[in-house]
Amino acid sequence: MPIAHPAASVRLEGFELRVLHLPLVSPFTTSFGTETVREVIVVRALTADGDGWGEIVTQDAPLYSSEYTQGAWDVAIRWLIPALLERGTAAPEDVAGVLAPFVGHRMAKAGLELAILDAALRAAGRPLGQYLGAVRDRVPSGVSVGIQHDPAALVEVVRSYLDEGYVRIKIKIKPGRDIGDTAAVRDEFGAIPLQVDANSAYTLSDIDTLAELDRFDLLLIEQPLQEDDIVDHATLARHLRTPVCLDESIVSLKAATDALALGAASVVNIKAGRVGGYLEAVRVHDLCRDAGIPVWCGGMLETGIGRAANAALAALPGFTLPGDVSASSRFYHRDIVTEPAVLDDGHVRVPTGPGLGVTIDPVALEAFTVAREIVRR
Ligand code: OSB
Ligand code: MG
């Protein structure tokens, strides 16, 4: 369902942007590289109705998507924030339209929209989950496991997450680290809910290798081919028994519509940053729900800000598969909110306080800040 009750406008006074460097508890390796520190942009909307917080989920380098920290920082300060401040007063539902003339930069737009959404909902005393249409008070928690030194090491890392209670395991794969890694996890743990994520590391010429994954009864294979390979994903899907799920390719409601029409995905990963905001994410959810396509909530190693918002989103009725909504401790020793997401019986709670329902820890925020800028009207 579309947003049932729109939020009231807030009177924008400015935005504070910060680049944060958060050390990861362990390196995170995907087909596109290894991260040891999470670089992320935190947004604070300064309004006459109170502050709101958002997160721009870009990474330092444009390897997962074309967006990256310095690009998002520049476009936000040079173009997006001035357009919003020029307007002066904005409801969360207005933000995408105000920013629509600027092509792309969806993660930057999403972070600004979230900050305005948080400010508006806090002012109205409304929780984000309720606003988005959440139907659950907690969401099943999956974990995304990076590529390890070897399959034996992967098995031990997976074991520790299963022991913590995660209800679904996703392992990253790449050419040469696919069949062996998947077999090792399947052989060790039997019929656990298991899926793989290739982050665009393959081409259609790898179809025989990808078909070998069919024997592992995976929940899905996520984004085997490149972002704009919609037709090739449809071709691949016809040759695999494993359901094909798209992540990188689903950059908007339109992209999702086209992918479903072509049969390129039988499952969709929804990330608010990738589609330009939580409101567009709800629209993708609604589309997939109407089409009978299961969705799940992806992650971008969010801080407590984005993690709270993801838990709210993942509580919508079409999110029928466990998402990458892990406990904060899966990535961080110390979060920037005072109530980091925790794992309880394999689930993460949907915050119930106004807006995001989390409180920023100003000391932690300051400790991780490496750059800060304020833009006022
Ligand atoms: O492909 O889902 C992905 C992290 C960064 C960029 C892309 C991806 C990921 C993850 C981590 O898999 C998911 C999480 O935040 O738990
Ligand atoms: Mg992915």
Side-chain angles (χ1 to χ4, degrees):
M1 280 199 307
I3 299 299
H5 302 288
S9 307
V10 288
R11 293 161 290 166
L12 296 170
E13 294 178 340
F15 287 87
E16 178 192 69
L17 297 185
R18 292 168 182 258
V19 177
L20 267 48
H21 281 181
L22 291 110
L24 295 174
V25 297
S26 56
F28 185 61
T29 299
T30 62
S31 59
F32 57 81
T34 298
E35 281 183 276
T36 54
V37 172
R38 171 66 173 139
E39 181 175 280
V40 64
I41 299 175
V42 165
V43 182
R44 180 184 203 162
L46 309 165
T47 91
D49 308 285
D51 291 355
W53 296 88
E55 171 169 352
I56 298 177
V57 298
T58 45
Q59 297 177 298
D60 61 331
L63 300 173
Y64 163 76
S65 98
S66 64
E67 293 189 74
Y68 66 104
T69 308
Q70 287 306 311
W73 181 271
D74 188 80
V75 79
I77 287 174
R78 197 183 296 274
W79 298 105
L80 308 182
I81 289 174
L84 290 167
L85 294 180
E86 158 101 18
R87 178 160 166 132
T89 293
E93 298 82 13
D94 302 329
V95 173
V98 172
L99 302 181
F102 305 105
V103 177
H105 298 285
R106 294 180 174 93
M107 294 177 185
K109 293 173 178 176
L112 296 172
E113 184 194 78
L114 182 59
I116 291 173
L117 191 48
D118 182 41
L121 294 177
R122 281 184 204 261
R126 295 174 62 187
L128 178 64
Q130 193 190 85
Y131 170 84
L132 295 175
V135 294
R136 289 182 276 267
D137 58 11
R138 60 178 205 159
V139 297
S141 181
V143 61
S144 174
V145 185
I147 296 168
Q148 306 295 317
H149 182 263
D150 54 31
L154 173 64
V155 163
E156 293 320 311
V157 173
V158 168
R159 190 190 312 284
S160 70
Y161 290 130
L162 290 171
D163 288 347
E164 282 186 63
Y166 286 103
V167 301
R168 183 228 69 198
I169 300 293
K170 153 171 146 182
I171 62 170
K172 295 288 188 177
I173 59 168
K174 65 177 183 180
R177 293 298 302 276
D178 36 36
I179 309 301
D181 283 53
T182 308
V185 173
R186 198 42 112 205
D187 289 352
E188 182 70 17
F189 303 110
I192 57 165
L194 179 65
Q195 62 194 53
V196 297
D197 186 0
N199 285 114
S200 306
Y202 297 86
T203 70
L204 261 193
S205 67
D206 298 307
I207 198 157
D208 293 340
T209 304
L210 295 170
E212 273 188 65
L213 291 169
D214 278 348
R215 70 179 151 101
F216 299 117
D217 286 312
L218 301 173
L219 289 169
L220 56 90
I221 178 170
E222 183 178 348
Q223 196 73 35
L225 313 177
Q226 305 241 336
E227 178 174 320
D228 45 13
D229 285 343
I230 303 291
V231 171
D232 282 358
H233 275 109
T235 303
L236 180 65
R238 285 195 294 276
H239 287 86
L240 300 185
R241 198 157 49 76
T242 308
V244 171
C245 169
L246 293 180
D247 171 356
E248 284 88 328
S249 295
I250 306 298
V251 297
S252 63
L253 176 64
K254 181 61 163 62
T257 305
D258 291 356
L260 297 197
L262 286 167
S266 51
V267 183
V268 169
N269 165 327
I270 298 183
K271 290 180 183 171
R274 198 194 59 225
V275 301
Y278 284 85
L279 298 183
E280 184 82 346
V282 171
R283 289 187 281 270
V284 176
H285 160 273
D286 294 350
L287 168 84
C288 292
R289 194 164 184 236
D290 289 345
I293 294 286
V295 305
W296 54 281
C297 184
M300 291 296 292
L301 301 89
E302 280 83 354
T303 72
I305 294 172
R307 202 164 291 278
N310 285 349
L313 179 66
L316 269 64
F319 285 80
T320 54
L321 291 168
D324 286 345
V325 188
S326 310
S328 170
S329 63
R330 184 262 171 266
F331 291 114
Y332 305 113
H333 293 293
R334 184 181 181 198
D335 207 321
I336 57 166
V337 299
T338 58
E339 16 347 48
V342 294
L343 199 62
D344 180 4
D345 183 31
H347 290 67
V348 166
R349 203 163 288 286
V350 179
T352 53
L356 293 166
V358 291
T359 308
I360 301 299
D361 172 347
V363 178
L365 181 70
E366 198 58 36
F368 295 126
T369 298
V370 298
R372 175 171 173 265
E373 191 156 330
I374 296 183
V375 184
R376 291 189 191 276
R377 284 189 80 192

